[in-house]
Structure formats: C-alpha cells, structure tokens
Amino acid sequence: MKAQRVARELALLSMSQLSSNLEKLSAQQLSDLVLAAVRALTNEVHDILETAAAELKRSNDRLLGSEIQATTVQSSRTMVYEAVELTQTAINRVAMAMELPEFLQLTNQKEVKAYTLETLTLVNAHREEIDAILQQAIVNWQLNRIARIDRDILRIAVAEMRYLGLQERIAINEAVELAKRYSGEDGYRFVNGVLRRVTEQFHETVPQE
C-alpha cells in the first residue's frame, strides 16, 4: 500500500466521525479524529473475527444437521449448501480482517499521519469553496442530499487536486477506489462522473494565453 493511499483512507474514516455541521477544527482536534479512526478500525478487526467464528459454528451445526436431522436427500443437500455458504462468508471476513493489521501498522508512519492531517486540514479550511465547486458539478441535485460517504470522498479528491497538486487522473482513480470500498453499489460511478465534471470546470477557468 502506498502511504498516500493509506492516508487518504484514514482521512475518510476520520471525517466520518465528524458531525454533519462541521465547524473549524484545531490541529489537536484533527489529530484526535485520526486517533479515533484508528481505534475504530482496531475494534472492527475484533468484530469481524468474532462474526466469522460465529458463522463457522453455524456452518458446523448445519453440517451435523444434514447427517442426523435431514429426512430427505434434498433437505440434506440444502443444509450442506447453507453450511458451505456460511463457511465461504467466514473465509471472506477473515481475509478482510487480515488486511487491516497492515493498514493499522502503516497508519503509524510519519508520512501517513502527515498527509492525513494535511488533507483533513485543507478540507476543513476550504470547506465552503470545495462544496461550491462540487455543487456546480452536480447536475439537478443538492450536495447535502448526497450520501455522507460520497460527499467526503468527493471533498478529499477536490482538496487533493486543488490544494495538494495531485494529478487529476490519479485523484479521480483513487476516489473511485475509495467509493468501491465504502460506498453503495453505484457510488463509484457517481463519484467518477462528478469529479470528471469538476476537472472540466477547472480547465474552463484557466486563463487563455
């Protein structure tokens, strides 16, 4: 994982803990948000593993049931199928949990923390301008009616393009990946479309020589 990618995700998770009516925050408050996000991720690892363990137990119970409770071949097959599904779900959860320790370890790197705080600071300091840019790029919709996670992803991307000098293509791709991970089924398409319109706005406002 690249440091900036981890920092970007950490910034998003930190923003999700803010109230809807964000006010200017101090550097210490932003640092506290990041710490809270890391703690939340740590708890998530424990929760995922506990859920996976419960699903494996249910899977085992269904397998036993297929041997001693099933009255027909069809009912036995159904129980076995359910057991396989539960086991697969548990495996997927464990795989997800295995990714988080690496992520948590990387959050301790100075480079990651610095970029996270810089991103949060810029989004916080330029919220009105960022939201105005996004509102102009959203067709027939209101920014405050967009899903919270999508708004935060868009705000981070605009801040990176506008104030951190991140290449537009990279900013859009990274935002889309965040949306695939955290947003709804079609969230990444929406994020991609809005940010492409944002870049068109940027190009239109560049003075012609």
Side-chain angles (χ1 to χ4, degrees):
M1 296 184 187
K2 294 182 179 180
Q4 283 190 2
R5 179 167 294 177
V6 174
R8 191 175 294 112
E9 188 168 344
L10 187 55
L12 177 64
L13 295 172
S14 300
M15 289 173 66
S16 69
Q17 303 192 46
L18 293 172
S19 64
S20 298
N21 299 320
L22 178 69
E23 296 181 359
K24 301 301 181 184
L25 300 174
S26 67
Q28 183 57 51
Q29 286 173 312
L30 291 172
S31 295
D32 291 342
L33 278 176
V34 174
L35 179 59
V38 172
R39 287 174 176 169
L41 279 174
T42 303
N43 292 332
E44 184 179 349
V45 173
H46 296 154
D47 292 343
I48 289 174
L49 292 176
E50 287 181 1
T51 302
E55 286 169 341
L56 286 174
K57 184 180 184 305
R58 287 171 57 202
S59 173
N60 185 59
D61 291 343
R62 299 306 283 170
L63 283 174
L64 289 175
S66 69
E67 295 178 0
I68 62 178
Q69 296 176 6
T71 57
T72 65
V73 172
Q74 183 58 42
S75 62
S76 177
R77 286 177 178 173
T78 299
M79 288 183 176
V80 170
Y81 179 76
E82 291 173 352
V84 171
E85 278 195 323
L86 285 166
T87 301
Q88 184 60 56
T89 301
I91 291 172
N92 291 341
R93 291 188 190 280
V94 171
M96 185 189 305
M98 289 176 66
E99 294 177 0
L100 288 175
E102 179 186 4
F103 182 90
L104 290 169
Q105 183 180 13
L106 289 172
T107 61
N108 289 320
Q109 293 183 357
K110 290 182 179 179
E111 184 181 359
V112 170
K113 286 185 175 180
Y115 195 84
T116 300
L117 287 173
E118 186 175 16
T119 302
L120 288 172
T121 299
L122 289 169
V123 170
N124 186 45
H126 301 282
R127 173 63 64 91
E128 291 184 5
E129 182 182 356
I130 291 172
D131 284 0
I133 291 170
L134 289 171
Q135 184 58 64
Q136 189 176 347
I138 298 171
V139 180
N140 299 325
W141 202 248
Q142 294 297 315
L143 184 62
N144 60 7
R145 297 184 65 184
I146 295 173
R148 171 70 181 271
I149 195 70
D150 291 339
R151 286 203 310 270
D152 289 343
I153 291 172
L154 290 169
R155 284 165 173 161
I156 289 172
V158 172
E160 288 189 297
M161 288 188 286
R162 188 79 166 183
Y163 309 110
L164 290 173
L166 188 65
Q167 291 182 17
E168 294 171 355
R169 176 181 57 81
I170 295 175
I172 292 175
N173 289 342
E174 291 297 320
V176 166
E177 289 305 314
L178 277 179
K180 287 180 179 179
R181 183 174 175 85
Y182 290 102
S183 184
E185 184 175 349
D186 295 323
Y188 74 94
R189 294 189 182 92
F190 174 76
V191 166
N192 181 65
V194 172
L195 290 178
R196 291 195 180 281
R197 287 192 290 273
V198 166
T199 60
E200 291 172 2
Q201 291 174 199
F202 288 167
H203 295 160
E204 289 172 0
T205 57
V206 173
Q208 300 294 322
E209 296 183 0

